[in-house]
Amino acid sequence: MISGLVGQDLSGFPRDNGGGQGGPIPGSKWQVQWVETPGWLEWAGACRWRSAVPCVGLTLPLKTASLVKCLTPFFLTCPAYFLFWIPEDPPSLLGAVVKCLPVLSLAAGLQALAPSGSTATLLKWGLLCSAVGDACLIWPDAFLHGMVAFAAAHLFYLVAFGFSPLRPTLLLPIALVSGLYLCFLLLHLPPDMTFPVAAYSLMLAAVLWRGLARGGSAGPGALLFTFSDSVLAWGTFVWPLPHARLVVMTTYYAAQILISLSVRDGPKHKAS
């Protein structure tokens, strides 16, 4: 019954006029009590059984203004990266900080948007691991450490996306495309990088599967992350690409914000 009310017009439901009692929802066992709060409208005593079963609160989505406020630091730090960090410069702590700031600001924004909840916590840990990976990739000698950090981030994303709905039909096209790309990439890898890259590719393919299966912003976020890493791997191990930095980092930051916003989406189930 609760899920059936989401997205419906509630204007016809009884409003509380100060007595705090509300009234019954037409055609249901529920009664609604409206409470005005400064930030948004809340069903504070909503969904209470007439037989005094404990209340289950429902909160309407956060206002767009709140979302923009939480994401403003991200949109400010992204241009800072492209303007002030020059890849030809020697690796430095300042360069690492500038590169990590957009992802760290996303983690802070996610904390403000969703301070609690298992999905939000997992996504925040994924962002923090990604920031560690960003810093490591500043130094060429720390490339493997960066790959491990990003693999940990993908593990958090994988668990955050969940395994329902399963949608196993997505596995075949993902396996075909990822497998063909990996087979070609392996021909150009040094022997000591074969297993790490193969293991990372498997984790990335799993995140792509679960992101597409979950739906919402998680799907395009996982797709952009896969594309970004594929371009990065090609430029690193196969052949340098023109404007690779712009392509890799633009798609990477876009992927991270879409994955972060998936905290507001539930898994999309097909209608029965």
Side-chain angles (χ1 to χ4, degrees):
M1 178 61 194
I2 297 175
S3 60
L5 294 173
V6 175
Q8 293 186 8
D9 180 15
L10 306 179
S11 59
F13 290 172
R15 301 293 299 266
D16 179 23
N17 294 319
Q21 297 302 317
I25 297 175
S28 73
K29 299 179 179 179
W30 306 88
Q31 67 179 16
V32 62
Q33 176 178 332
W34 297 91
V35 176
E36 299 287 348
T37 63
W40 53 83
L41 194 63
E42 215 176 43
W43 266 5
C47 312
R48 181 184 302 164
W49 286 103
R50 291 183 182 178
S51 57
V53 171
C55 167
V56 179
L58 288 179
T59 304
L60 298 183
L62 291 172
K63 286 184 175 180
T64 303
S66 300
L67 178 63
V68 172
K69 181 179 178 181
C70 293
L71 296 180
T72 295
F74 171 78
F75 289 114
L76 292 177
T77 53
C78 277
Y81 165 78
F82 290 105
L83 288 173
F84 300 116
W85 187 76
I86 302 174
E88 286 75 15
D89 284 352
S92 65
L93 182 60
L94 177 61
V97 171
V98 172
K99 188 180 181 183
C100 295
L101 274 179
V103 174
L104 291 175
S105 66
L106 268 183
L110 188 59
Q111 174 65 27
L113 278 175
S116 61
S118 58
T119 299
T121 300
L122 290 166
L123 292 177
K124 281 179 279 189
W125 276 108
L127 289 168
L128 293 176
C129 289
S130 296
V132 173
D134 286 334
C136 290
L137 293 184
I138 293 286
W139 289 270
D141 292 341
F143 184 87
L144 186 58
H145 298 83
M147 187 181 298
V148 172
F150 276 114
H154 288 311
L155 182 60
F156 284 116
Y157 292 155
L158 184 66
V159 179
F161 291 160
F163 290 88
S164 177
L166 195 61
R167 298 192 64 185
T169 54
L170 292 170
L171 284 172
L172 181 59
I174 291 174
L176 286 175
V177 176
S178 301
L180 288 173
Y181 183 84
L182 179 60
C183 288
F184 183 81
L185 191 62
L186 290 176
L187 299 175
H188 301 269
L189 292 177
D192 60 331
M193 292 298 294
T194 300
F195 177 75
V197 170
Y200 180 84
S201 299
L202 181 62
M203 178 66 71
L204 187 60
V207 171
L208 177 59
W209 168 42
R210 296 317 310 151
L212 293 174
R214 179 181 176 86
S217 63
L223 275 171
L224 284 174
F225 212 128
T226 302
F227 179 78
S228 177
D229 277 0
S230 299
V231 174
L232 176 63
W234 185 279
T236 302
F237 299 112
V238 181
W239 190 265
L241 297 172
H243 311 295
R245 168 188 169 233
L246 178 63
V247 173
V248 168
M249 296 308 298
T250 300
T251 53
Y252 167 70
Y253 286 139
Q256 292 285 31
I257 190 172
L258 288 170
I259 288 173
S260 300
L261 289 175
S262 70
V263 73
R264 306 173 77 232
D265 304 324
K268 307 299 189 239
H269 297 269
K270 291 183 177 180
S272 57

Short mmCIF file of all heavy atoms in Angstrom, two decimals, residues 161 167 170 174 207-227 254-255 258-262 265-266 268:
data_model
loop_
_atom_site.label_atom_id
_atom_site.label_comp_id
_atom_site.label_asym_id
_atom_site.label_seq_id
_atom_site.Cartn_x
_atom_site.Cartn_y
_atom_site.Cartn_z
N PHE A 161 24.86 -1.35 -5.35
CA PHE A 161 23.86 -1.55 -6.39
C PHE A 161 22.96 -2.74 -6.10
O PHE A 161 21.81 -2.77 -6.54
CB PHE A 161 24.55 -1.75 -7.75
CG PHE A 161 25.23 -0.52 -8.28
CD1 PHE A 161 26.22 -0.62 -9.25
CD2 PHE A 161 24.91 0.75 -7.80
CE1 PHE A 161 26.85 0.50 -9.76
CE2 PHE A 161 25.55 1.88 -8.29
CZ PHE A 161 26.52 1.75 -9.27
N ARG A 167 18.52 -9.77 -13.57
CA ARG A 167 18.66 -9.48 -15.00
C ARG A 167 19.89 -10.17 -15.61
O ARG A 167 20.82 -9.52 -16.12
CB ARG A 167 18.72 -7.98 -15.24
CG ARG A 167 17.46 -7.23 -14.81
CD ARG A 167 17.43 -5.82 -15.32
NE ARG A 167 17.37 -5.77 -16.77
CZ ARG A 167 17.43 -4.63 -17.48
NH1 ARG A 167 17.53 -3.48 -16.85
NH2 ARG A 167 17.37 -4.66 -18.79
N LEU A 170 21.70 -9.48 -19.21
CA LEU A 170 22.72 -8.46 -19.46
C LEU A 170 24.13 -9.03 -19.49
O LEU A 170 25.05 -8.41 -20.03
CB LEU A 170 22.65 -7.37 -18.39
CG LEU A 170 21.41 -6.48 -18.37
CD1 LEU A 170 21.39 -5.62 -17.11
CD2 LEU A 170 21.39 -5.59 -19.61
N ILE A 174 27.64 -7.98 -22.06
CA ILE A 174 28.74 -7.40 -21.29
C ILE A 174 29.97 -8.30 -21.36
O ILE A 174 31.10 -7.83 -21.54
CB ILE A 174 28.31 -7.17 -19.83
CG1 ILE A 174 27.27 -6.05 -19.75
CG2 ILE A 174 29.52 -6.82 -18.95
CD1 ILE A 174 26.69 -5.84 -18.37
N VAL A 207 30.39 -4.51 -12.02
CA VAL A 207 29.76 -3.24 -11.64
C VAL A 207 28.88 -2.74 -12.78
O VAL A 207 27.77 -2.23 -12.55
CB VAL A 207 30.82 -2.20 -11.26
CG1 VAL A 207 30.20 -0.82 -11.08
CG2 VAL A 207 31.52 -2.62 -9.98
N LEU A 208 29.34 -2.89 -14.02
CA LEU A 208 28.54 -2.48 -15.17
C LEU A 208 27.24 -3.28 -15.22
O LEU A 208 26.16 -2.71 -15.45
CB LEU A 208 29.34 -2.68 -16.45
CG LEU A 208 28.61 -2.36 -17.76
CD1 LEU A 208 28.13 -0.91 -17.78
CD2 LEU A 208 29.52 -2.65 -18.95
N TRP A 209 27.32 -4.57 -14.99
CA TRP A 209 26.12 -5.42 -14.98
C TRP A 209 25.13 -4.97 -13.93
O TRP A 209 23.95 -4.75 -14.20
CB TRP A 209 26.54 -6.88 -14.75
CG TRP A 209 25.42 -7.80 -14.42
CD1 TRP A 209 24.17 -7.85 -15.00
CD2 TRP A 209 25.42 -8.83 -13.41
NE1 TRP A 209 23.41 -8.84 -14.43
CE2 TRP A 209 24.14 -9.46 -13.45
CE3 TRP A 209 26.37 -9.29 -12.50
CZ2 TRP A 209 23.81 -10.51 -12.60
CZ3 TRP A 209 26.03 -10.34 -11.67
CH2 TRP A 209 24.77 -10.93 -11.72
N ARG A 210 25.63 -4.76 -12.69
CA ARG A 210 24.72 -4.40 -11.62
C ARG A 210 24.20 -2.96 -11.76
O ARG A 210 23.06 -2.67 -11.36
CB ARG A 210 25.41 -4.56 -10.25
CG ARG A 210 25.81 -5.98 -9.92
CD ARG A 210 24.76 -7.01 -10.26
NE ARG A 210 23.45 -6.65 -9.74
CZ ARG A 210 22.31 -7.01 -10.31
NH1 ARG A 210 22.31 -7.71 -11.44
NH2 ARG A 210 21.15 -6.67 -9.77
N GLY A 211 25.00 -2.08 -12.32
CA GLY A 211 24.53 -0.72 -12.54
C GLY A 211 23.40 -0.68 -13.56
O GLY A 211 22.38 -0.02 -13.35
N LEU A 212 23.58 -1.40 -14.67
CA LEU A 212 22.52 -1.45 -15.68
C LEU A 212 21.28 -2.15 -15.14
O LEU A 212 20.16 -1.78 -15.47
CB LEU A 212 23.04 -2.16 -16.93
CG LEU A 212 24.14 -1.44 -17.72
CD1 LEU A 212 24.66 -2.33 -18.84
CD2 LEU A 212 23.62 -0.12 -18.26
N ALA A 213 21.48 -3.17 -14.34
CA ALA A 213 20.35 -3.90 -13.78
C ALA A 213 19.58 -3.04 -12.77
O ALA A 213 18.35 -3.11 -12.70
CB ALA A 213 20.82 -5.20 -13.11
N ARG A 214 20.29 -2.24 -12.01
CA ARG A 214 19.63 -1.39 -11.01
C ARG A 214 18.80 -0.30 -11.67
O ARG A 214 17.72 0.04 -11.22
CB ARG A 214 20.68 -0.76 -10.09
CG ARG A 214 20.08 0.17 -9.03
CD ARG A 214 21.17 0.79 -8.16
NE ARG A 214 20.63 1.75 -7.21
CZ ARG A 214 20.17 1.43 -6.00
NH1 ARG A 214 20.14 0.17 -5.62
NH2 ARG A 214 19.71 2.36 -5.19
N GLY A 215 19.32 0.27 -12.75
CA GLY A 215 18.60 1.33 -13.44
C GLY A 215 18.86 2.69 -12.80
O GLY A 215 19.73 2.85 -11.95
N GLY A 216 18.08 3.68 -13.21
CA GLY A 216 18.30 5.02 -12.73
C GLY A 216 19.64 5.57 -13.21
O GLY A 216 20.13 5.20 -14.27
N SER A 217 20.25 6.42 -12.41
CA SER A 217 21.53 7.01 -12.80
C SER A 217 22.69 6.04 -12.65
O SER A 217 23.79 6.30 -13.16
CB SER A 217 21.80 8.26 -11.97
OG SER A 217 21.92 7.94 -10.59
N ALA A 218 22.48 4.91 -11.98
CA ALA A 218 23.55 3.93 -11.82
C ALA A 218 23.96 3.33 -13.16
O ALA A 218 25.14 3.04 -13.38
CB ALA A 218 23.11 2.81 -10.86
N GLY A 219 23.00 3.16 -14.07
CA GLY A 219 23.31 2.56 -15.37
C GLY A 219 24.26 3.41 -16.20
O GLY A 219 25.37 2.94 -16.55
N PRO A 220 23.90 4.66 -16.53
CA PRO A 220 24.85 5.48 -17.28
C PRO A 220 26.13 5.77 -16.51
O PRO A 220 27.19 5.94 -17.10
CB PRO A 220 24.06 6.77 -17.56
CG PRO A 220 22.91 6.75 -16.62
CD PRO A 220 22.60 5.32 -16.37
N GLY A 221 26.05 5.82 -15.17
CA GLY A 221 27.26 6.02 -14.39
C GLY A 221 28.25 4.88 -14.56
O GLY A 221 29.45 5.10 -14.76
N ALA A 222 27.75 3.64 -14.50
CA ALA A 222 28.62 2.48 -14.68
C ALA A 222 29.16 2.42 -16.11
O ALA A 222 30.32 2.05 -16.34
CB ALA A 222 27.86 1.21 -14.34
N LEU A 223 28.32 2.79 -17.09
CA LEU A 223 28.77 2.80 -18.48
C LEU A 223 29.91 3.81 -18.69
O LEU A 223 30.92 3.50 -19.33
CB LEU A 223 27.61 3.15 -19.40
CG LEU A 223 26.71 1.99 -19.85
CD1 LEU A 223 25.48 2.53 -20.57
CD2 LEU A 223 27.48 1.03 -20.75
N LEU A 224 29.76 5.01 -18.14
CA LEU A 224 30.78 6.04 -18.30
C LEU A 224 32.08 5.65 -17.58
O LEU A 224 33.17 5.93 -18.07
CB LEU A 224 30.27 7.37 -17.79
CG LEU A 224 29.27 8.10 -18.69
CD1 LEU A 224 28.72 9.34 -18.00
CD2 LEU A 224 29.92 8.47 -20.01
N PHE A 225 31.95 5.00 -16.43
CA PHE A 225 33.15 4.56 -15.71
C PHE A 225 33.89 3.52 -16.53
O PHE A 225 35.13 3.55 -16.65
CB PHE A 225 32.75 3.97 -14.35
CG PHE A 225 33.79 4.20 -13.28
CD1 PHE A 225 33.44 4.76 -12.07
CD2 PHE A 225 35.11 3.84 -13.47
CE1 PHE A 225 34.39 4.98 -11.08
CE2 PHE A 225 36.07 4.05 -12.49
CZ PHE A 225 35.69 4.62 -11.29
N THR A 226 33.16 2.59 -17.13
CA THR A 226 33.78 1.56 -17.96
C THR A 226 34.46 2.20 -19.17
O THR A 226 35.58 1.81 -19.54
CB THR A 226 32.71 0.56 -18.42
OG1 THR A 226 32.08 -0.02 -17.27
CG2 THR A 226 33.33 -0.56 -19.25
N PHE A 227 33.79 3.14 -19.80
CA PHE A 227 34.38 3.81 -20.96
C PHE A 227 35.64 4.57 -20.56
O PHE A 227 36.67 4.51 -21.26
CB PHE A 227 33.35 4.77 -21.57
CG PHE A 227 33.87 5.53 -22.75
CD1 PHE A 227 33.97 4.94 -24.00
CD2 PHE A 227 34.29 6.85 -22.62
CE1 PHE A 227 34.46 5.64 -25.09
CE2 PHE A 227 34.78 7.56 -23.70
CZ PHE A 227 34.87 6.95 -24.95
N ALA A 254 31.90 12.50 -14.56
CA ALA A 254 30.47 12.32 -14.84
C ALA A 254 29.97 10.99 -14.28
O ALA A 254 28.86 10.91 -13.73
CB ALA A 254 30.22 12.40 -16.35
N ALA A 255 30.79 9.95 -14.41
CA ALA A 255 30.41 8.65 -13.87
C ALA A 255 30.24 8.70 -12.35
O ALA A 255 29.28 8.15 -11.79
CB ALA A 255 31.46 7.60 -14.24
N LEU A 258 27.00 10.51 -11.30
CA LEU A 258 25.81 9.70 -11.59
C LEU A 258 25.69 8.52 -10.62
O LEU A 258 24.59 8.20 -10.15
CB LEU A 258 25.87 9.19 -13.04
CG LEU A 258 25.63 10.24 -14.12
CD1 LEU A 258 25.94 9.68 -15.50
CD2 LEU A 258 24.19 10.74 -14.07
N ILE A 259 26.81 7.90 -10.31
CA ILE A 259 26.78 6.80 -9.34
C ILE A 259 26.38 7.33 -7.96
O ILE A 259 25.60 6.69 -7.24
CB ILE A 259 28.16 6.11 -9.28
CG1 ILE A 259 28.38 5.30 -10.57
CG2 ILE A 259 28.26 5.18 -8.07
CD1 ILE A 259 29.77 4.71 -10.69
N SER A 260 26.87 8.50 -7.60
CA SER A 260 26.50 9.09 -6.30
C SER A 260 25.00 9.39 -6.24
O SER A 260 24.35 9.16 -5.22
CB SER A 260 27.30 10.37 -6.06
OG SER A 260 28.68 10.11 -6.04
N LEU A 261 24.45 9.92 -7.33
CA LEU A 261 23.03 10.26 -7.36
C LEU A 261 22.14 9.02 -7.34
O LEU A 261 20.94 9.13 -7.07
CB LEU A 261 22.72 11.10 -8.59
CG LEU A 261 23.26 12.53 -8.57
CD1 LEU A 261 22.99 13.21 -9.91
CD2 LEU A 261 22.66 13.33 -7.43
N SER A 262 22.71 7.85 -7.61
CA SER A 262 21.90 6.63 -7.58
C SER A 262 21.40 6.31 -6.18
O SER A 262 20.54 5.44 -6.01
CB SER A 262 22.70 5.44 -8.14
OG SER A 262 23.74 5.06 -7.25
N ASP A 265 17.82 6.66 -6.12
CA ASP A 265 17.04 5.74 -6.94
C ASP A 265 16.92 4.40 -6.24
O ASP A 265 17.86 3.95 -5.59
CB ASP A 265 17.70 5.50 -8.31
CG ASP A 265 17.94 6.80 -9.06
OD1 ASP A 265 17.09 7.70 -8.94
OD2 ASP A 265 18.98 6.91 -9.75
N GLY A 266 15.79 3.77 -6.40
CA GLY A 266 15.66 2.40 -5.96
C GLY A 266 15.88 1.49 -7.14
O GLY A 266 15.86 1.92 -8.29
N LYS A 268 15.08 -0.83 -10.12
CA LYS A 268 13.90 -0.82 -10.97
C LYS A 268 13.47 -2.24 -11.28
O LYS A 268 14.17 -3.00 -11.93
CB LYS A 268 14.22 -0.09 -12.29
CG LYS A 268 14.81 1.30 -12.07
CD LYS A 268 13.84 2.21 -11.33
CE LYS A 268 14.36 3.63 -11.32
NZ LYS A 268 14.56 4.21 -10.05
#
